[in-house]
Amino acid sequence: MKIKQVSAVLNPPAPHMVGDGFRVHNFFPNGYKLKMSPFFLLDYNAEIEFSARMKPRGVGVHPHRGFETVTIAYKGAVAHHDSAGNSGVIYPGDVQWMTAARGILHKEYHEEEFSKTGGLFQMVQLWVNLPAKDKMSNPKYQGIKKDEIPKVTLAAGAGEVDIIAGNFDQVKGIVSTFTPIELYNTRLNKGGKAIFNFPSHFNTAFIVIAGEVRLNESSLVKTNQLAHFKNEGEVIEVEALSDSLVLMLSGEPINEPIAQYGPFLMNRPEEIQQAIADYNEGKFGYLEE
């Protein structure tokens, strides 16, 4: 098998606030123009300390249609509610996989107790596009607790892989996806090495959540940096230069046109107009601010 070479190691773009509770670096599509379908957006809330506050910070009621949001918590805690009556809290190590599909109203904010004490906060949110045939399917949630995520212990004490989606070392991830996606949290001990295989045509990127790694014996990637890979070759070797945590995402491209406006991700401009009309007519349901 051929090595999948790194095409770029990217520093986090300048941060911006989403609501008043999320200070994010948008790696794509705005920060960098990366080929990453089916992943449309990657917002990375690098580690930051929020002060204590009685009224939780967050993002008020907003709609989604045509895609999935994936929230991965590393530090801090986020509460959420939606117009279908779902609610919950995402703690460190947990994952929330929300399929907005035909439409949902959503709000998310710092969990009440975390807000009262303040502390370190670190999260990733991905937008995962849906193929045209699934964009108007029913909304659903996959709320996954840390202890439910399948794990593979690497040889020679190198570390551990949490398989959120896809397959690694014949262990299947917990999340069901509409298109082929590999999504792992990989913890490597200093000096640990591991080999990963992704199909050559899959769009692939790694973001270093903590630590420092060397890829394919050449590319150095530090905390908060993102490594983007070429669409050739399959094999990636990872070596940890310190205790490290790496979020790995790889997926089969959805080769369909994209029309995007705010929180709507469709295929054609007229579908965006329909989404706006449906939202204005209350067809996404009701959710109290």
Side-chain angles (χ1 to χ4, degrees), residues 118-197:
L120 295 176
F121 192 85
Q122 188 177 24
M123 303 266 166
V124 166
Q125 186 169 92
L126 300 166
W127 287 14
V128 179
N129 194 15
L130 290 172
K133 66 182 180 62
D134 298 312
K135 282 188 178 292
M136 296 299 285
S137 58
N138 291 329
K140 68 173 184 177
Y141 267 96
Q142 298 174 82
I144 302 114
K145 294 299 181 186
K146 176 182 178 180
D147 294 342
E148 298 173 336
I149 300 173
K151 295 171 172 50
V152 171
T153 300
L154 298 168
E160 185 176 70
V161 181
D162 292 356
I163 308 151
I164 300 167
N167 292 272
F168 177 75
D169 198 22
Q170 300 181 321
V171 175
K172 183 174 170 52
I174 192 167
V175 168
S176 65
T177 63
F178 287 82
T179 59
I181 286 172
E182 307 291 323
L183 189 66
Y184 317 148
N185 267 323
T186 298
R187 291 170 182 78
L188 291 172
N189 300 318
K190 182 179 180 179
K193 293 183 180 181
I195 300 289
F196 296 86
N197 290 274

Side-chain angles (χ1 to χ4, degrees), residues 9-16 23-28 30-32 34 42-47 122 206-209 221-227:
V9 175
L10 304 170
N11 289 319
H16 68 275
R23 180 182 180 270
V24 303
H25 306 270
N26 180 258
F27 274 101
F28 59 84
N30 299 320
Y32 297 98
L34 301 179
L42 193 164
D43 269 348
Y44 172 50
N45 192 130
E47 182 182 296
Q122 188 177 24
F206 292 179
I207 181 166
V208 177
I209 304 297
V221 192
K222 300 179 180 181
T223 302
N224 299 338
Q225 290 184 320
L226 180 140

